[in-house]
Amino acid sequence: MALIKEIRQRTGLAIGVIAGGLILFLLGGDLLSPNSSLLGNNNPVVGEIAGEDVTYQEYVDKVEEFRVAYQQRTGRAPSEVEMFSVREQAWQSMIVDKVFKEEYEKLGLTISPEELVDMVQGKNIVPELRQQLVNPQTGQFDKTQLISFLQSLETADPAQQAFWAQQEQLFADSRLRIKYDNLLGTSEYATSAEGKMEYKAANTIAETSILFVPYYAVPDSAVSVSEAEMQTYLRENKEKFQTGNTANIEYVNFSILPSAADSAEVIEEITQLTEELRNSDQDSVFVNRNSDIRPAFYTFRPGDEFPQDFTRNTDEFVEGVTYGPFVTANSTYISFKVTKKYEGTPRMRASHILFSTEGMDDVAKAGIKSQAEEVLQDLKEGGDFAAAARTYGQDGTAQQGGDLGWFAKEEFVEEFANATYARRSTGLLPNLVETEYGFHIIEVTELPQSEYTSIAVLQKELIASDATRNEAFRNADAFAAESGNRNEFSENAIDQNYRVLQANNVDAGARNLNNLQNAREIIRWAFAEASEGEVSPVFELDNAYIVASLVSKKEEGDAELADVRDQVEGQVRNDKKAALIKEALAGKSTLEEMKAVYGDDASLNEIPDLKLSSSVIPGIGFAPKAVGAIFGLSEGGMTQPIQEDIGVLVGKLNALTPAAEIADYTAYQSQLAQSGAQRVSYQVMMALEELADVKDYRYKFF
């Protein structure tokens, strides 16, 4: 509610739609699922975070927050596929609430009321609001809509005010995470010594000869693998074979793909509609009434990407001309009409490096300015702008090399906008630009452009007709009704010439079943409802009806030999083959003699430019131990036989070309720091989840 009392200017956003969407969501979806607490399931536990139970109702409440936010942002309810992402965001939010909150407090990270105001009505409005509140006439973010909306909240009902309070909290949580990730990212540092090592690894080259003996050079019959050996191997390497909650499922697929008649009908329809669009004088009304996608009328600003289906099929965008129909990658049919081209608000693109001076006195500012001028001078002498931005930048663009994207003049602080829009060519601005945020080094990457293009999009989906779907369902329903258990399932499939497909080791949280997309309900049935040998009812997927049978399922923990027999047996057999290969190569003094032992099954490879940084040997495969051993040789030396996952290798170092000394390793330092910064956020997230002992039981409910 902090913002409601500070902002007093706005009307224009349909608050009723937001509140109505919230009520609609609360009446449907997950709350009415088979495991819903509303249906008497006594609020079960869906997970544990940091030793605390997460109840079904807690989780569903959080999901509802994110679903409403999604609808408010996009203007439509999320599909089931999109709901997976919404649920994941809600779950991650709960982890952040319980795990990261303590980290934020330790570091003193906060979002002040002033910062929150700035995020929703100041100079740094969050992208979620910018994307939603666009003036349809200009295609630009309309700040007056936002101000009016926030003002109107003071007289709105409590439900609407509560919704906005949730949005404020989401914005604040998101900004805290950005601050935390940026702090971690900018804390990544590579020393000059590490930069030098990285350079040498990338530029030290060996000319080498490598003998490769694959495991198939030794026939399987030459080694035997006992049950006891496999058990011993599994016991000594159990960390390699941890299993999650998995199931083995058999199923029969009853396709509901469109028939030839269905395709002909859609082609006829899109052809007729395209002709009508060509002659229409109300393009937006026409496509919004007849297209299968919404919205169907777009205005593209300078810098916006046109639809790929459009650019792939035509090189010109002539006002008033209709193009199509074309077939899309998704087998739909689509036509485009360039309704209008016009001059609008100019937009340009630039990158910057911010040296922040917020809260500093004049002496401190002078020191920052001096540092910025040094970096600017380096860039004038040919330095890498993106690398410098990642190293020195102090805002959210740093990890993107300082790229600000396309922007209109009024979207940026006055000093910055004036400097960039005064530029008449791309490139580095010669002087620093000072704003209230600090000193900016600016590189103009695209000059202002002002051509806007409005395009009407007419798309028709190729889907199975009711007749096609009904026939497939009748067959699936009859098969399910006649199959009371797995034995009958198998017998009926054979009798009726249906192919039984297998999906083994299906993860409890999986969404797909082999190549079947969006098969979550089948997987949830297997883990939450079915017993072994049970046959499912008919499940409807996008392009098929499915009848499944649960073969078996396993709980999370150490794998049993029966679960991983093939992998363990293969590894033990390869270990034995490697020992035989090494024994056969012993006593041979040249690679040619060694190759002769296995003839055409072995290969002798000449690699003229193997790099120290490589982990893959060209023509052979992943062999990091062999690469390391080769670079540890003196010229003319030869390694011992080395066992890799792909076979046994012996390397000979013919010549070594060390990396030449260079004066400056900064670029390699920056490269290491950048790659570390890109990894650190995810790695810390995984580490904190592990420390919090996060347990996820959601697969039983969703």
Side-chain angles (χ1 to χ4, degrees), residues 24 27 76 80 153 184 301 330 334 415 433 437 654 680 685:
L24 175 65
L27 291 177
R76 63 178 178 82
E80 180 52 38
L153 283 173
L184 293 174
R301 308 168 301 175
N330 297 322
I334 193 166
E415 298 88 347
V433 174
Y437 299 106
N654 300 320
V680 69
M685 177 71 180

Side-chain angles (χ1 to χ4, degrees), residues 249-254 476 479-480 482-496 498-502 525 533-537 546-551:
I249 300 170
E250 292 180 340
Y251 61 94
V252 174
N253 181 325
F254 297 84
F479 178 75
E482 295 166 0
S483 303
N485 54 52
R486 187 185 170 206
N487 289 336
E488 293 178 358
F489 177 94
S490 301
E491 292 169 0
N492 290 335
I494 293 172
D495 291 343
Q496 298 173 45
Y498 293 141
R499 183 184 177 191
V500 176
L501 301 169
Q502 294 183 331
W525 165 82
E534 187 174 341
V535 177
S536 76
I546 301 295
V547 179
S549 176
L550 177 62
V551 178

